[in-house]
Amino acid sequence: MHVADFDFHLPDELIAQFPPEVRGGSRLLHVEAGGALHDRWFRDLPALLRPDDLLIMNDTRVIKARLFGHKDSGGKVELLVERVTGEFEALAFIRASHAPKPGSQIQLDQEVTIEVLARQDDLTQLRFPCPVLDALQRLGQLPLPPYITHLPTADDEARYQTVYANEPGAVAAPTAGLHFDDAMLAALQEKGIRTARVTLHVGAGTFQPVRVEQIAEHKMHSERYTIPQATVDAIRETRARGGRVVAVGTTSLRALEAAAQSGELHAGSGETDIFITPGYRFHVVDALITNFHLPKSTLLMLVSAFAGLEPIRAAYVHAIAERYRFFSYGDAMFLEKNNPESSPR
């Protein structure tokens, strides 16, 4: 397939620049397995779920991954930490007039000087004099997506984070989870719908464009994930009761599918660069809650694999016509899997 198969025109005014006034105040487009569309509100979600269903949520926490400093020469440097690789080391994208060379230093403030260790493709390995997460919390800026044009505010620091975020390490939010508030979680629990957690630290590569024409030639960025044994057990119990596994977001789905490539889901941690495109046979997930995704993006390819290319095209045409809000701060979709022949094992 070609990347152009996943292109569409989106009016700029439909790109949500701010979250809804209240968390969970978004619209929800329900896409049935056969492609039928229903306009709903996110508060209607419990009515779309069954008492035996299980929601899988990504509990990663967004870190303040954007840093500003200067080189030994005085030139300005902007860093976007893509991944924390150790207590004192990280990989980062660097923006500067001339990329700093290995062995040079970047001064963040009077106390924090970073050493440039090595280049790794388009990333740079850095060593901090203090724990990386401490430096980011003190000196970093929230890394809002590139299509959000305002500088991050205190409101963004609260709203660009799920209410169940727990494990620091992401540089982008698992945005489907942004719609959930405590009242929604309580309503789900009251109905008998259980939740379980996975962790996938979303990398900056999620915003990187696909630069090839044939999607089979694209190489995904790698991300770290963890699947607890309790989540594996909960999924098995859900299957035994005849319930559905509902992934909250593409990150939860990618973590689950990465850990089930043998056909059976296993607990543990690892790196995944799984690239899900139409034709993929899903092993774990039956339904997906997700936001609307960028044109020609790997995430649009993923949801097209899940719900079907033509149903997703029709859903996006409908969403644009009905003035849904798009991307991280935008509205949500509830997708039912459109390939029942690839039943989970």
Side-chain angles (χ1 to χ4, degrees):
M1 299 189 72
H2 294 82
V3 174
D5 294 329
F6 302 90
D7 196 10
F8 64 93
H9 172 68
L10 180 68
D12 288 344
E13 64 269 20
L14 296 186
I15 300 174
Q17 294 295 320
F18 298 92
E21 185 174 345
V22 296
R23 192 185 290 267
S26 303
R27 298 168 73 186
L28 179 69
L29 180 58
H30 176 200
V31 183
E32 291 188 17
L37 304 175
H38 305 279
D39 296 308
R40 305 184 188 278
W41 292 93
F42 195 78
R43 61 177 175 265
D44 299 328
L45 178 64
L48 299 179
L49 300 172
R50 307 163 190 164
D52 287 329
D53 288 345
L54 175 69
L55 291 183
I56 306 295
M57 299 174 159
N58 182 6
D59 65 359
T60 188
R61 173 172 286 276
V62 182
I63 57 177
K64 295 181 178 181
R66 181 165 279 116
L67 295 165
F68 300 90
H70 58 83
K71 297 182 289 185
D72 297 333
S73 63
K76 293 183 179 180
V77 178
E78 180 180 337
L79 308 173
L80 178 61
V81 171
E82 205 277 339
R83 187 184 317 180
V84 178
T85 57
E87 185 178 6
F88 297 95
E89 293 191 5
L91 288 170
F93 292 102
I94 293 184
R95 180 182 296 177
S97 56
H98 298 284
K101 298 179 180 180
S104 63
Q105 295 182 330
I106 298 172
Q107 190 82 30
L108 296 184
D109 68 359
Q110 293 182 349
E111 299 178 2
V112 180
T113 301
I114 301 173
E115 181 183 356
V116 178
L117 298 180
R119 292 278 296 176
Q120 294 187 18
D121 298 323
D122 53 352
L123 294 167
T124 300
Q125 186 177 7
L126 305 172
R127 178 181 291 128
F128 286 66
C130 58
V132 177
L133 292 177
D134 291 351
L136 295 179
Q137 183 60 33
R138 187 168 67 86
L139 301 173
Q141 183 184 92
L142 188 73
L144 289 177
Y147 45 76
I148 292 179
T149 57
H150 66 268
L151 292 175
T153 65
D155 188 52
D156 290 305
E157 291 189 11
R159 295 295 299 277
Y160 193 65
Q161 197 85 261
T162 66
V163 296
Y164 48 81
N166 187 57
E167 301 293 334
V171 301
T175 55
L178 299 181
H179 303 283
F180 288 83
D181 60 11
D182 291 333
M184 171 62 76
L185 294 175
L188 294 171
Q189 184 178 19
E190 184 176 350
K191 188 174 178 178
I193 298 161
R194 297 190 302 163
T195 61
R197 306 294 171 87
V198 298
T199 304
L200 185 141
H201 292 315
V202 191
T206 192
F207 301 117
Q208 297 301 302
V210 179
R211 297 186 174 92
V212 295
E213 293 185 4
Q214 300 278 350
I215 65 173
E217 298 174 0
H218 177 68
K219 174 66 175 175
M220 288 285 289
H221 60 286
S222 182
E223 294 169 318
R224 185 78 177 169
Y225 72 89
T226 299
I227 310 289
Q229 184 62 49
T231 297
V232 174
D233 294 341
I235 290 172
R236 288 174 179 163
E237 293 168 6
T238 297
R239 290 271 175 258
R241 295 196 309 269
R244 297 176 299 176
V245 175
V246 181
V248 177
T250 56
T251 60
S252 297
L253 183 149
R254 291 184 70 242
L256 292 170
E257 293 296 325
Q261 287 303 288
S262 67
E264 182 178 350
L265 181 64
H266 296 280
S269 299
E271 298 274 338
T272 181
D273 60 359
I274 189 171
F275 186 18
I276 297 176
T277 60
Y280 178 86
R281 293 178 62 85
F282 290 87
H283 299 292
V284 183
V285 179
D286 302 303
L288 172 65
I289 300 167
T290 185
N291 282 19
F292 294 91
H293 302 294
L294 294 164
K296 299 191 288 187
S297 65
T298 60
L299 297 182
L300 183 56
M301 297 169 193
L302 183 155
V303 298
S304 298
F306 190 82
L309 181 57
E310 291 306 322
I312 286 296
R313 283 175 174 166
Y316 273 57
V317 169
H318 176 85
I320 291 170
E322 294 297 321
R323 312 295 289 177
Y324 276 72
R325 301 167 75 245
F326 276 64
F327 307 156
S328 293
Y329 277 153
D331 295 316
M333 308 176 79
F334 181 82
L335 304 178
E336 297 176 2
K337 189 169 61 177
N338 199 33
N339 53 345
E341 72 281 1
S342 57
S343 57
R345 307 172 193 178

